[in-house]
């Protein structure tokens, strides 16, 4: 229920994600540069015969190591061959070789990754084993050994290298497919009668497409580097010009004609840089689409806190207790990249008295959790209190530094979250997670803190406090975890507990127990509670007063009994109408054919 | 009295999931469950997390392994059929899942998603487009929704799209796995009414899985209560959800808080009394 996510549901224009990404790549300067260089290299390879009139293999031994001239654009090499012609044709062979390696690696890796990820079972075990085996092989040594057997062929070497690199694609694809295999839309397609190949093609391949392209760019880069390396140590194919071969040749004549080294070295560097930048730019663009840009401008946007006043029910208590928390005109907003402010709370005013339970009820996106988090000083990144005041026990909380807030958080205002499991660290025992904050905030010794933690665990109704103290979070149930967090919340004797949907993630029978526990503790300790919830049953069970929130505003507030007896605002009334609990049952389809069986007794 | 033949008949169904590690005993998610759904009927399946209610729905859909027992649809055994035969069943059995955010492929337009089951049955592109219009209209969405992506819709609207997808092939049975649990209160009520209207208009049967007794009561003709992989109570919807016999169903009913402070205080007291009585009964049963 992250409210920042559904603050505004923008209706984006209907553009496919793919064309969108391609366009963004062209707008990204690095991406554009990489694409231009790669395109030029490919054009050079494709139209090699048109770019030079010289034969790359024609050796003119009377004219070796010539300097650049009109006839030989970049001069000639140690055998009198035209360097420009060799460079152009070497681009063709080197790129084709790298492409062969990448293509083979991708075909083998992606196919087996899809099958292993989608079907799993024995195929996955075998491929995982093979993958580890191949990855353990030292690539260069295998290539040198292969050269001894099959001879110095570029294609052979690159084909073998492709197979060696297949695990990179396999791992990537298999992990991505495992991630989506159990997505509900894949199940839905299966139930819809779609055949497995179509499911893989339509629903699964789309997920791995972009990462595979990135991986392909990196693999191409590695293949080019390995090729150059093999060529440089004289292991290249002597029958065709390659970048590595040219490098090797130039290296032997470094003192006579140093210029010869420049050409192959530059083109290898250029190609490597281009592929690396392409991969980087694509990854950047993919990540950017996942999260919105951070705000650039620091100008304060206009705050709008106006709206119809809330329906206020008269107080029923004869002598109202003292105020503990007073929120006035609170506006919470998220800064947008264009400098504007998206408001999620639009001028909320509410009061919590000492020792009372105040229910804050609303639907998702109403701003109830944002209100609670701003009181705790724990707004998510990008969010801030844009206007209004939060006075806690006479102390203004807005504008306090993180350090100052820390003196209040946990000690005077504590928090019970919605998801008990994700709020406990799985790598520490429950005991240590209770003891640490107490030592920190109360300044007591470890021994004292432990005794106190055991007391608290017993107090929240855990049957075996010693055992729970020693347990790790995964060893207890969701209900028990919530009891532990409640123990943590009361451990430093706070004045106010903010409980954010404390029972929503729990089963209904567990919820009833936790509600009983909260009520008992609240009465015993006299602590005030701000209870955020969407459930009117929970409000009826616990709360003294209620505020109903809609679209970042409080529309109705007052004593719980008074609101339940006669909701005045149209929105509150619509919420009450939507409650099913007291509604009529559907009834039976045809009375004659039904009978009431108690299956528990039958078995 | 023409007691209709059951559309779906599940008998003594056992579902086991293997647990990783050599020689480990498999996990038994369903321990011999029997249930039936008649044409045009809504059978509610209620239980808490881990009760096996979702597994039962998935077994009917062919998404969970049937270890023992039988699942019969229109008199034909479907628990152990091949993938190919299962694909043909898509015309008869469909599904609406709980999470409207992950049940739609984020990169496909609504039309592509809705047309998928139709295209499998070799419906022409033009006919499929027409059918998508009708479906969107049926679930109360505007026709221009077809060209948009799932992220442009709210949770309730997405659930309507998922319902439209389930209706595409005019099935006889839809398995609904917690279809309103992720929705807000007011959205939930509207989507439930949509389920009801569609059932009355098309005569489709529902196997309606939910953890919420009130939701199940609102929509179901009959209700089955699941607990630890077994059905503990099964019968008339009104009776099971208002005056249950089994102690677990009683606990479930009393645990749900009522939206009224005075009646909730009463229910709280009743619940405490009931739990005490059940505890004593258990003790006596143990002593006897």
């Amino acid at each position: 229920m992250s409210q920042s996510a559904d603050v505004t549901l923008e209706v984006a224009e209907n553009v496919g994600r793919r064309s969108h990404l391609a366009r963004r790549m062209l707008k990204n300067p690095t991406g554009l540069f990489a694409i231009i260089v790669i395109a030029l290299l490919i054009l050079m390879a494709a139209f090699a015969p048109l770019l030079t009139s010289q034969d790359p293999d024609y050796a003119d031994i009377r004219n070796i190591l010539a300097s650049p001239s009109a006839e030989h654009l970049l001069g000639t090499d140690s055998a009198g061959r035209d360097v420009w012609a060799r460079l152009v044709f070497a681009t063709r062979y080197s790129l084709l070789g790298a492409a062969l390696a990448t293509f083979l690696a991708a075909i083998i890796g992606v196919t087996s990754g899809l099958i292993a990820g989608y079907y799993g079972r024995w195929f996955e075990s075998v491929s995982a084993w093979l993958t580890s085996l191949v990855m353990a092989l030292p690539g260069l040594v295998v290539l040198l050994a292969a050269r001894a057997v099959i001879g110095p062929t570029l294609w052979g070497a690159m084909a073998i290298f492709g197979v060696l690199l297949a695990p990179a694609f396999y791992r990537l694809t298999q992990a991505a497919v495992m991630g989506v295999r159990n997505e509900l839309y894949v199940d839905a397609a299966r139930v819809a009668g779609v055949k497995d190949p179509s499911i893989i093609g339509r629903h699964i391949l789309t997920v791995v497409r972009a990462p595979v392209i990135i991986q392909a760019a990196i693999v191409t880069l590695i293949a080019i580097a390995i090729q150059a390396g093999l060529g440089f140590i004289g292991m290249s194919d002597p029958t065709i010009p390659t970048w590595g071969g040219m490098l090797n040749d130039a290296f032997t004549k470094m003192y006579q004609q140093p210029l010869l080294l420049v050409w192959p070295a530059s083109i290898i560097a250029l190609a490597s840089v281009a592929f690396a930048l392409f991969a980087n730019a694509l990854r950047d663009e993919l990540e950017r689409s996942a999260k919105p840009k951070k705000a650039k401008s620091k100008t304060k946007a206009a705050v709008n806190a106006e709206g119809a006043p809330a329906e206020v029910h008269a107080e029923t208590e004869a002598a109202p207790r003292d105020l503990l928390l007073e929120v006035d005109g609170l506006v919470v907003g998220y800064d947008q990249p264009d400098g504007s402010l998206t408001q999620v709370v639009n001028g909320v005013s509410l009061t919590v008295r000492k020792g009372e339970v105040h229910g804050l009820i609303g639907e998702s996106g109403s701003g109830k959790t944002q209100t609670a988090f701003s009181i705790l000083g724990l707004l998510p990144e990008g969010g801030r209190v844009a206007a209004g005041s939060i006075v806690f026990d006479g102390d203004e909380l807005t504008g306090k530094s993180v350090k100052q807030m820390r003196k209040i958080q946990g000690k005077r205002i504590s928090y019970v979250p919605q998801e008990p499991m994700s709020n406990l660290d799985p790598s520490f025992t429950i005991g240590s997670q209770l003891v640490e904050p107490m030592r920190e905030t109360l300044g007591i010794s470890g021994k004292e803190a432990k005794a106190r933690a055991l007391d608290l665990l017993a107090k929240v109704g855990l049957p075996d406090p010693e055992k729970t103290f020693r347990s790790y979070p995964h060893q207890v149930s969701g209900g028990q975890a919530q009891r532990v967090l409640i123990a943590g919340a009361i451990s430093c004797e706070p004045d106010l507990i903010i409980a954010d949907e404390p029972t929503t993630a729990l089963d209904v029978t567990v919820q009833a127990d936790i509600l009983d526990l909260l009520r008992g503790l609240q009465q015993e300790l006299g602590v005030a509670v701000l209870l955020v919830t969407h459930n009117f049953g929970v409000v009826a069970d616990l709360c003294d007063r209620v505020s109903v929130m809609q679209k970042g505003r409080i529309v109705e507030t007052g004593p719980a009994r008074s609101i339940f007896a006669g909701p005045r605002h149209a929105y509150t009334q619509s919420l009450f109408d939507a409650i099913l609990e007291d509604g009529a049952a559907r009834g039976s389809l045809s009375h004659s054919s039904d009978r009431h069986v108690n299956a528990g007794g039958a078995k | 009295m023409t007691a209709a033949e059951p559309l779906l008949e599940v008998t003594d169904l056992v579902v086991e999931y293997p647990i990783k590690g050599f020689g480990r005993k498999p996990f038994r998610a369903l321990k011999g469950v029997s249930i039936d759904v008649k044409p045009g009927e809504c059978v509610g399946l209620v239980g808490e997390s881990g009760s096996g209610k979702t597994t039962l729905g998935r077994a009917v859909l062919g998404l969970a392994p049937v270890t023992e027992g039988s699942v019969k649809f229109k008199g034909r055994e479907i628990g152990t059929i091949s993938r190919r035969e299962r694909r043909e069943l898509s015309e008869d059995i469909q599904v609406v899942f709980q999470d409207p955010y992950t049940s739609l492929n984020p990169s496909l337009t609504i039309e592509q998603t809705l047309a998928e089951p139709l295209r499998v049955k070799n419906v022409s592109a033009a006919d499929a487009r027409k059918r998508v219009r009708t479906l969107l209209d049926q679930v109360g969405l505007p026709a221009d929704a077809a060209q948009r992506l799932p992220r442009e819709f709210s949770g309730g609207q997405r659930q309507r799209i998922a319902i439209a997808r389930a209706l595409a092939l005019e099935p006889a049975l839809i398995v609904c796995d917690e279809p309103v649990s992720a929705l807000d209160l007011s959205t939930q009520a509207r989507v439930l009414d949509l389920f009801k209207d569609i059932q009355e208009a098309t005569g489709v049967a529902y196997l309606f899985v939910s953890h919420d007794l009130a939701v199940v009561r609102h929509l179901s003709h009959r209700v089955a209560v699941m607990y630890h992989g077994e059905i503990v109570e099964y019968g008339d919807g009104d009776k099971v959800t208002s005056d249950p016999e089994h102690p677990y169903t009683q606990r479930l009913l009393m645990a749900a808080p009522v939206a009224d402070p005075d009646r909730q205080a009463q229910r709280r007291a009743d619940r405490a009394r009931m739990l005490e009585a059940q505890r004593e009964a258990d003790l006596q049963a143990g002593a006897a």
Side-chain angles (χ1 to χ4, degrees), chain A residues 128-150:
Chain A
W129 194 79
L130 276 177
T131 304
S132 312
L133 187 76
V134 170
M135 285 182 104
L137 288 172
L140 208 56
V141 174
V142 173
L143 288 179
L144 291 176
R147 186 181 185 276
V149 180
I150 60 171

Side-chain angles (χ1 to χ4, degrees), chain A residues 1 6 9-17 20 118-119 121 124 178 182-199 202-204 206-207 209 361-366 368 504-516 519 523 534-543 560-562 564-565 571 574-601 603, chain B residues 1-4 12 31-32 38-42 47-49 58 61 63 83 86-87 89-90 93-95 97-99 101-109 112-113 116-117 120-121 147-149 151-154 157 165 169 184-189 192 196 199-200 211-212 214-215 217-222 230-241 243 245-246 248 251-252 254-264 267-268 271 275:
Chain A
M1 235 195 234
D6 47 40
L9 201 75
E10 279 177 41
V11 180
E13 71 263 54
N14 180 29
V15 278
R17 230 177 82 205
H20 207 75
Y118 188 68
Y119 293 108
R121 294 189 293 243
E124 194 193 337
M178 292 276 280
N182 294 326
E183 287 284 352
L184 289 176
Y185 61 79
V186 173
D187 279 343
R190 236 179 266 174
V191 175
V194 183
K195 289 185 186 138
D196 286 348
S198 317
I199 293 181
R202 258 175 93 93
H203 296 288
I204 292 182
T206 47
V207 180
R209 198 170 49 202
I361 191 164
E363 298 190 299
S364 57
S366 64
K368 56 188 192 302
T504 305
L506 305 175
D507 273 330
V508 65
T509 46
V510 182
Q511 163 172 298
D513 292 340
I514 295 289
L515 289 177
D516 281 345
R519 187 180 325 95
Q523 278 160 7
H534 69 281
N535 187 330
F536 274 106
V538 171
V539 172
D541 191 65
L542 276 183
C543 296
R561 251 166 239 283
S562 166
F564 276 101
Y571 178 69
S574 76
L575 286 180
F576 272 101
D577 288 342
I579 295 172
L580 298 170
E581 254 80 16
D582 301 323
R586 180 91 181 260
S588 60
L589 191 61
S590 54
H591 285 277
S592 49
S593 61
D594 285 318
R595 53 185 210 280
H596 192 78
V597 217
N598 190 337
K603 275 261 118 190
Chain B
M1 53 167 275
T2 50
D12 298 329
K31 304 166 182 165
K38 299 191 183 70
E41 187 187 30
C42 176
E48 294 186 302
S49 53
R58 290 180 72 87
L61 292 165
L63 298 172
R83 273 171 177 260
R86 170 61 69 176
R87 280 201 292 275
L89 260 182
S90 64
I93 306 180
Q94 274 303 323
V95 66
F97 287 113
Q98 167 177 12
D99 189 343
Y101 291 90
T102 61
S103 68
L104 301 174
N105 188 334
S107 56
L108 296 184
T109 65
Q112 284 170 321
T113 294
E116 187 167 53
V120 174
K121 299 294 171 193
Q147 299 309 323
R148 300 213 226 137
L149 291 171
R151 62 156 185 259
E152 297 171 40
F153 296 93
S154 69
Q157 287 171 323
R165 173 175 57 193
L169 295 173
D184 271 327
L185 194 59
S186 47
T187 320
Q188 172 176 310
L192 281 178
K196 217 180 207 172
Q199 185 160 53
E200 273 153 20
H211 70 280
D212 191 331
V215 164
R217 171 183 166 84
H218 186 71
L219 199 63
S220 307
H221 301 108
R222 281 187 299 157
E230 285 174 84
I231 289 181
V232 294
E233 186 159 359
Y234 183 25
D236 176 67
D238 192 11
K239 174 89 168 62
V240 174
T241 56
D243 179 23
E245 283 175 16
H246 193 275
Y248 174 70
R251 289 206 293 278
L252 207 57
M254 297 307 275
V258 200
D260 180 308
D262 297 317
R263 277 173 45 223
Q264 173 55 20
R267 173 166 282 196
R268 211 156 55 213
R271 175 171 178 267
L275 289 178

